[in-house]
Amino acid sequence: MFNKILCAVDGSEHSMRAVSKAAALALKFEGELVFLTVAKAVKMNEGLRRFMEVEHVSGQDAQYVLDSFSQEVLSEAKEIAKKVGVENIKTEVKVGPPARTIVEFADKNKMDAIVMGSRGHGDLESLLLGSVSHKVASLSKVTCVTVR
């Protein structure tokens, strides 16, 4: 039924709860579990450029921090899944608009389900534009599980 499960994570409390639910599903159905985090590319504006100059930080350093955070989130998710007994685990980092990137990844990789938290780190943006989980559920062709 759920041979390939995608769990979108951003390090938020809700997404880490989703990790546990996705791991339980993968264990129950002996499926493949893929953790995906969608990072934003560092966009240079004048304010960020000035801050980086004052702090002696290069653009590469800023991107490195974001990339490191993504890897930490994925590593934590993978450890949680391993602890409950999931063996077939993969991790991916993509860059782009979160909802569309998640749905496109699920389509391209023939996922059977998408599991994600109801709220992530973008709460202010979610209030103004609608939550990523709501957009994913609206756009996706596969079963979506939203974890609170």
Side-chain angles (χ1 to χ4, degrees), residues 99-100 103 131-142 144 146:
R100 290 203 182 278
V103 171
S131 71
V132 171
S133 58
H134 178 75
K135 287 178 186 175
V136 168
S138 297
L139 295 171
S140 180
K141 298 172 190 164
V142 301
C144 295
T146 304

Side-chain angles (χ1 to χ4, degrees), residues 31-126:
E32 175 184 16
L33 180 55
V34 179
F35 292 113
L36 170 69
T37 190
V38 180
K40 291 185 179 181
V42 174
K43 292 183 183 176
M44 292 297 220
N45 62 32
E46 190 56 35
L48 179 57
R49 194 176 336 275
R50 276 187 264 143
F51 171 80
M52 291 171 67
E53 284 175 13
V54 170
E55 295 295 324
H56 305 290
V57 176
S58 74
Q60 290 175 333
D61 292 336
Q63 190 65 54
Y64 174 78
V65 169
L66 286 176
D67 293 345
S68 294
F69 175 75
S70 295
Q71 290 304 322
E72 284 180 32
V73 168
L74 292 172
S75 182
E76 183 180 348
K78 194 172 183 177
E79 282 305 310
I80 291 168
K82 281 182 176 180
K83 283 182 183 176
V84 298
V86 179
E87 294 178 14
N88 192 357
I89 305 168
K90 293 181 181 172
T91 61
E92 290 281 340
V93 177
K94 296 292 180 191
V95 176
R100 290 203 182 278
T101 303
I102 292 165
V103 171
E104 287 170 6
F105 183 90
D107 288 345
K108 182 180 176 186
N109 293 280
K110 297 180 174 43
M111 295 290 152
D112 297 312
I114 301 171
V115 181
M116 58 190 308
S118 62
R119 290 278 180 199
H121 280 304
D123 286 339
L124 178 60
E125 185 179 351
S126 297

